[in-house]
Amino acid sequence: MALSDEPAAVAPEEPEEDAGREPDALARGGALESFGESAETRELLGRLRDVHGELAAREVVLERFRVIMDKYQEQPHLLDPHLEWMMNLLLDIVQDKASPPSLVHLAFKFLYLITKVRGYKVFLRLFPHEVANVQPVLDMFTNQNPKDHETWETRYMLLLWLSVTCLIPFDFSRLDGNLIAQPGPVQVSIMDRILQIAESYLVVSDKARDAAAVLVSKFITRPDVKEKKMANFLDWTLRTLAHSSFQTIDGTITMDGVLQALAQIFKHGKREDCLPYASTILDCLNNCRLSESNQTLLRKLGVKLVQRLGLTFLKPKVAKWRYQRGCRSLAANLKPSTQGRNKPTPSTGTPDGDEDYDVPEEVENVIEQLLAGLKDKNTVVRWSAAKGIGRIAGRLPKDLADDVVGSVLDCFSFQETDNAWHGGCLALAELGRRGLLLPARLTDAVAVIQRALTYDEKRGACSVGANVRDAACYVCWAFARAYEPMELRPFVAEISSALLIATVFDRDVNCRRAASAAFQENVGRQGTFPHGIDILTTADYFAVGNRSNCFLVISVFIAGFPEYTQPMIDHLVTAKINHWDRVIRELSAKALRNLAWCAPEYCAAQVFPKLLSLTQSPDLHTRHGAILACGEVTCALHRLAAQGGRSVTDYLDEKALEGLKQIHQQLYDHQLYRGLGGELMRQAVCVLIENLSLSKTPFKGDAVIDGWQWLINDTLRNLHLVSSHSRQRVKEAAVSALAALCGEYYLKEPGEADPAVVDALIQQYLAELQSPEEMTRCGFALALGALPSFFLKGRLQQVLAGLRAVTHISPKDVSFAEARRDSLRAIARICQTVGVSAGGVPDKVLCEANVPQIYSTLLDCMSDYTTDSRGDIGAWVREAAMTSLMELTLLLGRSQPELIGASVCERVLCYVAQQASEKIDRVRAHAGNVLLTLLHFDSPPLPHVPHREELEQIFPRSDMATMNWNSPSQVFPRITQFLGLPAFRYHVLLGLAVSAGGLTESTVKYSMQSLCDYMKSIRKDPQAMACLSGTLLQIFEDNLLNDRVSVPLLKTLDQMLANGCFDVFTVEEDHPFAVKLLVLCKEEMKKSKDVQKLRSSIAVFCGLAQFQGDVRKKVLLQLFLLLCHPFPTIRNTTASHVYEMVLTFGEEVVGAEALEEVIAVLGNTVWDAELPLVREQRNRLCDLFQVPRPQLVSKPSPH
């Protein structure tokens, strides 16, 4: 809540999701009990003398102290017991004559950090401020360079220190001695020296300017100084302001310092001393035209100075006419009886004796400027103006103060900007808090605050007004503290309803929390708000953090109290269903559905006709929200009527039903389904169709059904024309509408529909599945999946065949992954719809005849790895296939487990396990959840699960909730255990190979580490090693020239060879694994121009060099061929890898006598030079390695 001291209001805004967090933990999170780093701080300050000369050590100490201090920004009072000893330690360094300048500057940096946290006003009192301190502090200024930007903290702290020494109760002239009698150059008096320092630092560009203003306020207002220097100093400030311009940087800095000084002087100086100069300064300030400046700080200082001048013009007094609340005890407020309470001081019409004095003319100018400040574009300026109006109104006669209140109320006009509304709210709160807003004005004030609580003005794609609503909550909070309950009693209904509406229906979380805090304050202070305690326990600070929870849950609880039901419904209809934010409109419609249960007659008689009229509004947002609301309210009334065995027509008359029927036709006639707002209208009417169908409105056989069917079909057919961010929402709305429409209006007899209508619809939808537009296929595939069971009876095979055709990849629709995904979803939904019967007819239900075909379709889609510019779009299909496989398997497992064959169950689990070991985190997590669901399904357990016991040991039921499948470090150590299970070995190793050879660092690291750990664990088991290596080769052979698998597989093999996973094979000459791997690698890289694949093959060849026998010679020959590859980068890569191989294996691959020469040739040759030069060095290496030189093959000349 704006600028109040209510803890709930100034807490930082929490995200919507934080509403569910533990409140106590959140509240305790930032609380500190004491200054816990006292000992460390003492040790840091003690080390300053040792570290000041070393830059690195000095920075470490300074940064650590800064971190310690920053912890106490929110609770600086905890430092109070320790400030004195910290200051003494630092001032000892400063006052020590032997301290070098760098150490003094470092000490002042530490002093500044303490001041920044605790505030200079508290810290100021601790500086030594005796007569003996004046001269040393002044002398320190002689060594300061105002242009040194590294040491500004020193000058800032010295100015503050000097300002407190100026408070000594002795005339400064007594410290000068006899200056004239002293020989030598003319000495400057201390008074002049201080004034020169102050004036010089008021115009610097660093923070010392602020301290100079504090110094001026303390110095100029001294009795001895004001007589001699005040007039001259004020003349200097006026000249400086007159010659400065806020359009330049230097001018802005100068004006900032001068305005700060003047504001401080008129704040701390005596009225009789400042009054003679006030009028002149006001004129100068008017000439500066600060309101036109773009600098927020200058405008704020201008407002601050103007209000100080206004207070100077008026006599300081407490207005006797102001309203004074008596008892402020919360306990007394909450008592049912008001006996014993203090009565407020009556506001009589009798003027007090001082109200006859003339108010200076300048005050009118001051008030005008402050009222203009209320409309400033920056909050800090408006807040300063609001405080100024409150202070000045407190010194005015009653009639004039009432005029000021009237001027503030004029800010609440719809011709004014949101800035004026915000400033007006702040001013009203300030006037009320000070008792200057008399009860007679409350009627006007409450009326404008009610409007401010719902202020929301659209600007482009967003709106302004959140700060206005927040400030209006602050006004309500202030009124609760300012007025006696009897004064606010006539307005309780309006204020309480408005605050609760803001609490649950405001778009912004900070406004909802501010309204909740204001309502809480009113409940506590006033004690007259109906059901206040009950509501507060539900709508507290944390509960209102979640917007959906507010609209759909808390609002229902509050509307259960009759005082608030109707205002909440009216607010939704008038202010929220036409909101600029689509999410708010949708939430408002759902909230209306919930609230209709609390007042069904009111909604049917009053709200519904209004909503119907709004469906014809020319405003798109209003029309959209009204159509949504009509459907939701109708649905709520139907459910309410159904509870009593009645029809929705008991609530809605013929006129209302006719209005509902006309919505679609009116939109169609006005072509509102087209254009920019068309997608909103289509989505809204589809939601309306769904709700009216579910509400069983009596439209069966009516022409409107054909219109609705046309809209659904047209929407699904033209999904590609809908914007991408709305497409999914529109598609889902149309499919849901179709399901409800078919289930209600096409049913002639129980379980039967008109065959001609059904056949025509299904044929049309099946034809649309062949559309060249992918989105059209998506829409009609989902539409087929949404059809009720009586539509599919006798047509199941036909529909499944149509959907199956969409899942097949053909060259013309290879990128239609979303269509394949939605077809799989449709197949799964159809399976759920028609049910299972083992001996049933395949054209009506799932049975022994069609289940294998469905499984085949779904399993084929598990191999969809299509990629395009969007990435691995096949992942969408695989995820949908896994979901559909799980749903189908569980459906069969519950009723007809005998339909799940052993081979099918194994294939399902193997494919899912493969996805659970692959590289995409999202797919892996989905596959893991599917795997665990199938494994631990127990009603009854699925039959034919291979290696069930071993799987349950790897993934016990207790780990289902805690297993994080997105975390590679948790997943891969378990997945690699599948390699010991023959049924899963091939698929899991395939997935691991792709993961270990991928690009994501964490996935590569943990998958490779887990695979190598497993290989080392079976190293002593020859049979297991043979099985695993054979499976690896089989995977390679099956995926030759399939770059998706072969390239990461080569990278994986390289890492496995480098990590010694196949060391047990190297003792045998020409081991079959090495021989076969060499052949496959040669085949894979033959005629390849893929640099990544060639580099991976080179690494594998170098790893194979450790194997003995002829295979080594063949490997070296391949490497030497690559040393003369046409691509220079491949030649360089090969040379680098061969060099590393020779260093690694040494005399194993080349004789000891040739080793040094080989290293020299590899290291010294420029391998990206011309091929004839490179070939000569390559042939030399062949001789050294005793490998036959490759022979050039001449290309046949064309005939």
Side-chain angles (χ1 to χ4, degrees):
M1 186 162 44
L3 303 160
S4 74
D5 56 357
E6 174 65 36
V10 297
E13 176 177 338
E14 296 293 331
E16 296 283 344
E17 290 77 17
D18 281 355
R21 289 166 57 183
E22 182 64 30
D24 292 340
L26 194 64
R28 290 195 301 267
L32 299 169
E33 295 181 358
S34 63
F35 183 45
E37 291 84 358
S38 173
E40 184 182 358
T41 301
R42 194 181 293 271
E43 188 264 337
L44 286 175
L45 298 183
R47 287 170 51 198
L48 294 188
R49 296 179 187 275
D50 301 326
V51 303
H52 75 91
E54 302 175 21
L55 179 61
R58 183 170 74 240
E59 289 295 330
V60 168
V61 171
L62 186 63
E63 184 59 30
R64 178 57 192 155
F65 188 72
R66 183 180 287 113
V67 169
I68 292 173
M69 289 292 109
D70 286 348
K71 281 178 62 176
Y72 296 91
Q73 288 275 19
E74 299 294 329
Q75 296 172 278
H77 60 278
L78 297 177
L79 298 177
D80 288 353
H82 308 271
L83 291 178
E84 190 169 353
W85 64 259
M86 285 194 283
M87 172 172 274
N88 290 338
L89 286 174
L90 293 167
L91 286 184
D92 287 346
I93 295 173
V94 170
Q95 294 174 323
D96 187 351
K97 301 289 186 185
S99 297
S102 61
L103 178 58
V104 173
H105 289 314
L106 184 60
F108 276 119
K109 283 182 186 292
F110 276 71
L111 281 170
Y112 169 72
L113 289 174
I114 301 171
T115 309
K116 183 186 75 168
V117 174
R118 190 61 188 102
Y120 78 88
K121 293 179 182 178
V122 173
F123 204 54
L124 211 57
R125 300 193 296 263
L126 301 177
F127 275 113
H129 48 275
E130 298 180 2
V131 175
N133 299 115
V134 177
Q135 194 65 45
V137 174
L138 282 173
D139 292 341
M140 288 187 200
F141 276 101
T142 59
N143 300 322
Q144 300 304 315
N145 177 11
K147 296 183 179 180
D148 183 0
H149 299 298
E150 296 293 324
T151 60
W152 62 267
E153 294 97 339
T154 302
R155 302 189 295 277
Y156 176 78
M157 296 309 300
L158 282 174
L159 286 166
L160 289 180
W161 192 357
L162 184 59
S163 70
V164 77
T165 59
C166 287
L167 300 179
I168 58 172
F170 302 104
D171 195 311
F172 275 132
S173 60
R174 298 176 61 181
L175 305 182
D176 294 332
N178 192 357
L179 292 178
I180 299 176
Q182 293 180 5
V186 177
Q187 299 291 317
V188 181
S189 67
I190 286 180
M191 193 180 296
D192 289 334
R193 287 178 66 188
I194 294 175
L195 192 57
Q196 288 173 5
I197 289 170
E199 289 180 352
S200 64
Y201 281 101
L202 276 177
V203 294
V204 297
S205 60
D206 53 42
K207 195 171 174 59
R209 184 173 69 248
D210 300 345
V214 175
L215 170 61
V216 165
S217 69
K218 299 284 197 294
F219 176 69
I220 292 294
T221 54
R222 284 175 54 93
D224 55 335
V225 177
K226 70 184 178 188
E227 296 175 1
K228 302 176 183 177
K229 302 294 182 183
M230 188 173 191
N232 291 335
F233 177 78
L234 292 177
D235 283 343
W236 175 83
T237 59
L238 295 179
R239 287 197 307 274
T240 305
L241 283 175
H243 292 94
S244 301
S245 170
F246 53 70
Q247 295 180 347
T248 64
I249 295 177
D250 291 339
T252 299
I253 291 170
T254 301
M255 294 180 80
D256 174 81
V258 171
L259 290 172
Q260 280 197 65
L262 288 172
Q264 293 274 20
I265 288 172
F266 278 86
K267 177 179 180 179
H268 296 290
K270 294 181 180 178
R271 178 176 181 265
E272 56 269 22
D273 298 333
C274 299
L275 186 57
Y277 311 104
S279 181
T280 306
I281 291 175
L282 182 61
D283 291 340
C284 178
L285 200 58
N286 292 338
N287 294 332
C288 289
R289 306 176 71 87
L290 291 177
S291 59
E292 300 175 6
S293 170
N294 289 327
Q295 299 294 325
T296 302
L297 192 56
L298 289 186
R299 298 200 306 276
K300 177 194 171 186
L301 289 172
V303 169
K304 187 184 288 290
L305 180 54
V306 162
Q307 64 171 282
R308 299 290 178 204
L309 292 171
L311 292 172
T312 303
F313 289 126
L314 297 168
K315 294 179 181 178
K317 68 185 184 70
V318 177
K320 294 183 179 179
W321 53 266
R322 70 189 178 102
Y323 178 84
Q324 293 179 338
R325 180 174 178 176
C327 174
R328 291 183 181 241
S329 166
L330 289 177
N333 288 338
L334 294 174
K335 288 180 180 177
S337 171
T338 58
Q339 292 180 1
R341 295 190 188 180
N342 295 340
K343 298 296 181 185
T345 302
S347 173
T348 64
T350 307
D352 56 75
D354 290 337
E355 292 213 350
D356 296 332
Y357 81 93
D358 292 331
V359 175
E361 294 180 1
E362 292 87 351
V363 172
E364 184 178 353
N365 183 3
V366 168
I367 293 175
E368 282 182 8
Q369 293 194 44
L370 292 177
L371 289 171
L374 289 180
K375 303 174 185 180
D376 193 271
K377 61 184 177 182
N378 284 93
T379 301
V380 289
V381 181
R382 297 195 293 271
W383 180 227
S384 184
K387 289 190 290 186
I389 283 177
R391 288 167 180 154
I392 289 176
R395 296 189 182 184
L396 290 174
K398 181 180 177 182
D399 293 341
L400 292 179
D402 191 63
D403 290 342
V404 172
V405 172
S407 299
V408 171
L409 290 173
D410 289 340
C411 291
F412 298 94
S413 162
F414 282 104
Q415 283 77 37
E416 296 286 359
T417 64
D418 59 302
N419 297 329
W421 280 68
H422 182 252
C425 286
L426 297 180
L428 277 184
E430 193 66 18
L431 291 168
R433 196 172 62 83
R434 294 172 178 271
L436 305 174
L437 188 67
L438 296 178
R441 278 287 195 175
L442 278 178
T443 303
D444 300 330
V446 170
V448 297
I449 292 307
Q450 274 188 280
R451 301 209 312 271
L453 280 168
T454 56
Y455 184 89
D456 195 22
E457 187 175 322
K458 191 170 185 302
R459 296 271 178 87
C462 57
S463 73
V464 295
N467 60 339
V468 176
R469 301 194 300 276
D470 189 66
C473 295
Y474 172 46
V475 177
C476 295
W477 179 89
F479 282 5
R481 292 185 162 213
Y483 295 100
E484 189 70 18
M486 60 178 289
E487 305 290 358
L488 285 181
R489 194 179 299 278
F491 312 104
V492 162
E494 293 95 324
I495 295 176
S496 61
S497 297
L499 284 175
L500 286 177
I501 286 169
T503 299
V504 292
F505 293 143
D506 199 282
R507 179 177 182 270
D508 295 277
V509 64
N510 60 313
C511 294
R512 294 198 300 273
R513 286 177 165 166
S516 175
F519 186 82
Q520 177 180 345
E521 194 72 22
N522 275 277
V523 170
R525 300 281 178 185
Q526 297 291 313
T528 54
F529 277 34
H531 314 288
I533 299 298
D534 295 334
I535 291 171
L536 281 177
T537 56
T538 302
D540 62 12
Y541 176 83
F542 297 99
V544 300
N546 186 294
R547 188 162 60 193
S548 296
N549 185 53
C550 288
F551 270 83
L552 305 179
V553 179
I554 299 177
S555 64
V556 178
F557 174 79
I558 296 175
F561 301 110
E563 295 90 343
Y564 305 118
T565 309
Q566 190 171 323
M568 292 175 73
I569 293 174
D570 291 343
H571 174 77
L572 288 173
V573 173
T574 56
K576 285 295 184 286
I577 62 166
N578 58 358
H579 198 270
W580 61 270
D581 187 346
R582 174 189 57 80
V583 176
I584 296 297
R585 296 196 297 274
E586 292 174 354
L587 283 173
S588 300
K590 293 175 182 176
L592 268 176
R593 178 188 63 193
N594 293 342
L595 299 189
W597 287 71
C598 302
E601 288 80 11
Y602 178 73
C603 286
Q606 303 294 327
V607 174
F608 206 81
K610 190 179 297 184
L611 291 175
L612 282 175
S613 66
L614 292 175
T615 60
Q616 303 175 37
S617 169
D619 178 65
L620 172 64
H621 296 155
T622 303
R623 198 165 63 242
H624 176 251
I627 293 172
L628 290 175
C630 282
E632 299 290 357
V633 172
T634 304
C635 193
L637 295 175
H638 159 70
R639 292 181 182 177
L640 198 63
Q643 285 186 349
R646 297 174 295 160
S647 166
V648 70
T649 53
D650 288 358
Y651 285 111
L652 301 180
D653 55 19
E654 283 296 325
K655 185 178 179 182
L657 293 173
E658 189 63 29
L660 289 172
K661 280 200 294 187
Q662 291 301 318
I663 290 175
H664 161 71
Q665 194 60 43
Q666 288 166 352
L667 295 175
Y668 180 80
D669 292 343
H670 292 90
Q671 298 186 338
L672 294 174
Y673 289 129
R674 302 167 62 183
L676 293 175
E679 55 195 53
L680 272 180
M681 288 298 96
R682 289 175 180 270
Q683 182 246 350
V685 176
C686 285
V687 172
L688 176 71
I689 294 169
E690 180 186 7
N691 281 316
L692 294 184
S693 301
L694 295 174
S695 302
K696 301 184 183 302
T697 47
F699 299 155
K700 189 174 290 188
D702 197 290
V704 73
I705 303 301
D706 295 333
W708 289 352
Q709 185 68 60
W710 172 87
L711 174 66
I712 293 170
N713 294 346
D714 191 63
T715 300
L716 294 174
R717 187 178 299 111
N718 295 297
L719 277 174
H720 58 284
L721 301 178
V722 178
S723 58
S724 56
H725 67 276
S726 303
R727 189 175 293 151
Q728 185 66 22
R729 190 167 58 251
V730 173
K731 179 173 66 176
E732 290 174 355
V735 170
S736 300
L738 176 69
L741 180 72
C742 292
E744 176 61 25
Y745 295 114
Y746 288 143
L747 191 64
K748 283 195 169 183
E749 300 173 9
E752 294 294 336
D754 186 344
V757 174
V758 173
D759 284 337
L761 192 67
I762 288 183
Q763 290 301 328
Q764 179 187 355
Y765 284 12
L766 289 174
E768 295 287 0
L769 292 181
Q770 305 306 315
S771 168
E773 291 292 343
E774 181 184 15
M775 287 300 111
T776 302
R777 294 189 184 191
C778 291
F780 284 101
L782 290 174
L784 285 168
L787 293 176
S789 58
F790 61 85
F791 263 63
L792 299 169
K793 190 181 296 183
R795 304 170 187 86
L796 179 59
Q797 290 289 74
Q798 183 184 9
V799 172
L800 288 176
L803 292 171
R804 191 180 306 118
V806 179
T807 64
H808 294 155
I809 300 176
S810 62
K812 66 176 183 179
D813 56 15
V814 65
S815 63
F816 285 10
E818 291 180 75
R820 296 194 288 276
R821 176 199 65 193
D822 287 346
S823 295
L824 292 173
R825 291 175 176 172
I827 290 173
R829 186 167 178 181
I830 287 173
C831 292
Q832 301 280 353
T833 302
V834 299
V836 186
S837 176
V841 180
D843 221 17
K844 293 184 178 180
V845 293
L846 296 185
C847 61
E848 194 172 355
N850 56 18
V851 164
Q853 205 172 22
I854 296 173
Y855 265 120
S856 175
T857 301
L858 299 180
L859 289 169
D860 287 346
C861 290
M862 290 292 287
S863 302
D864 189 336
Y865 286 91
T866 309
T867 58
D868 66 3
S869 59
R870 295 169 289 180
D872 183 3
I873 56 175
W876 303 335
V877 183
R878 300 198 299 277
E879 286 183 86
M882 285 188 283
T883 303
S884 301
L885 283 169
M886 179 183 69
E887 292 174 354
L888 175 60
T889 304
L890 296 182
L891 176 66
L892 296 175
R894 289 189 189 97
S895 54
Q896 303 287 340
E898 65 273 11
L899 294 180
I900 305 174
S903 62
V904 168
C905 188
E906 181 176 327
R907 285 185 68 195
V908 169
L909 291 173
C910 286
Y911 276 119
V912 172
Q914 178 183 331
Q915 297 302 315
S917 60
E918 287 205 354
K919 60 185 179 181
I920 303 177
D921 289 350
R922 187 191 72 251
V923 177
R924 190 170 63 245
H926 186 64
N929 292 326
V930 170
L931 180 64
L932 293 186
T933 302
L934 294 175
L935 177 62
H936 295 296
F937 181 72
D938 54 5
S939 55
L942 295 178
H944 314 302
V945 174
H947 311 290
R948 180 188 290 276
E949 293 182 3
E950 293 89 338
L951 292 177
E952 289 181 345
Q953 288 178 358
I954 297 172
F955 295 110
R957 187 183 296 270
S958 58
D959 289 356
M960 284 185 68
T962 58
M963 184 72 181
N964 180 11
W965 286 91
N966 284 310
S967 171
S969 60
Q970 289 190 38
V971 173
F972 286 111
R974 299 198 190 204
I975 283 291
T976 48
Q977 297 179 47
F978 280 55
L979 298 175
L981 309 177
F984 293 97
R985 184 181 295 125
Y986 181 92
H987 290 88
V988 171
L989 190 55
L990 175 57
L992 283 170
V994 173
S995 294
L999 298 175
T1000 308
E1001 183 181 358
S1002 59
T1003 304
V1004 171
K1005 174 184 175 182
Y1006 290 108
S1007 57
M1008 193 70 243
Q1009 180 181 321
S1010 302
L1011 184 56
C1012 290
D1013 289 346
Y1014 178 78
M1015 293 288 290
K1016 290 173 183 176
S1017 69
I1018 63 169
R1019 185 179 297 169
K1020 296 181 180 178
D1021 186 345
Q1023 185 179 357
M1025 285 293 293
C1027 289
L1028 193 67
S1029 59
T1031 306
L1032 261 177
L1033 294 174
Q1034 187 63 49
I1035 290 170
F1036 201 168
E1037 190 171 1
D1038 293 345
N1039 292 278
L1040 271 176
L1041 305 181
N1042 176 7
D1043 289 357
R1044 182 191 67 82
V1045 177
S1046 60
V1047 174
L1049 180 59
L1050 286 169
K1051 293 181 181 178
T1052 303
L1053 286 166
D1054 168 36
Q1055 289 297 315
M1056 294 175 76
L1057 289 166
N1059 283 303
C1061 294
F1062 302 108
D1063 283 354
V1064 293
F1065 294 164
T1066 59
V1067 297
E1068 180 183 338
E1069 284 200 10
D1070 294 329
H1071 192 282
F1073 172 76
V1075 175
K1076 183 70 177 291
L1077 181 56
L1078 175 61
V1079 172
L1080 292 171
C1081 285
K1082 286 169 63 179
E1083 187 68 26
E1084 180 66 32
M1085 62 174 284
K1086 184 188 297 182
K1087 297 182 180 179
S1088 174
K1089 294 182 180 180
D1090 184 341
V1091 173
Q1092 188 180 12
K1093 182 186 291 187
L1094 291 170
R1095 284 176 170 169
S1096 301
S1097 300
I1098 292 166
V1100 173
F1101 284 145
C1102 289
L1104 286 173
Q1106 61 188 301
F1107 287 85
Q1108 301 179 24
D1110 289 343
V1111 69
R1112 180 179 292 164
K1113 297 291 185 183
K1114 294 177 181 177
V1115 165
L1116 291 173
L1117 178 60
Q1118 291 299 317
L1119 289 169
F1120 293 150
L1121 284 170
L1122 288 164
L1123 280 174
C1124 287
H1125 194 277
F1127 294 174
T1129 183
I1130 296 300
R1131 301 201 292 272
N1132 276 329
T1133 301
T1134 306
S1136 175
H1137 278 77
V1138 172
Y1139 184 86
E1140 293 173 6
M1141 177 196 74
V1142 171
L1143 290 179
T1144 304
F1145 301 119
E1147 297 179 7
E1148 290 183 33
V1149 294
V1150 64
E1153 65 283 354
L1155 182 61
E1156 290 187 10
E1157 189 175 353
V1158 166
I1159 292 175
V1161 171
L1162 287 168
N1164 297 333
T1165 303
V1166 180
W1167 293 102
D1168 54 4
E1170 295 296 326
L1171 271 177
L1173 299 175
V1174 171
R1175 192 174 290 116
E1176 181 182 340
Q1177 297 300 321
R1178 190 274 311 275
N1179 290 340
R1180 188 176 169 197
L1181 284 175
C1182 290
D1183 296 341
L1184 292 171
F1185 277 92
Q1186 299 179 3
V1187 173
R1189 293 183 178 186
Q1191 298 300 315
L1192 277 174
V1193 180
S1194 59
K1195 294 183 179 179
S1197 58
H1199 296 289

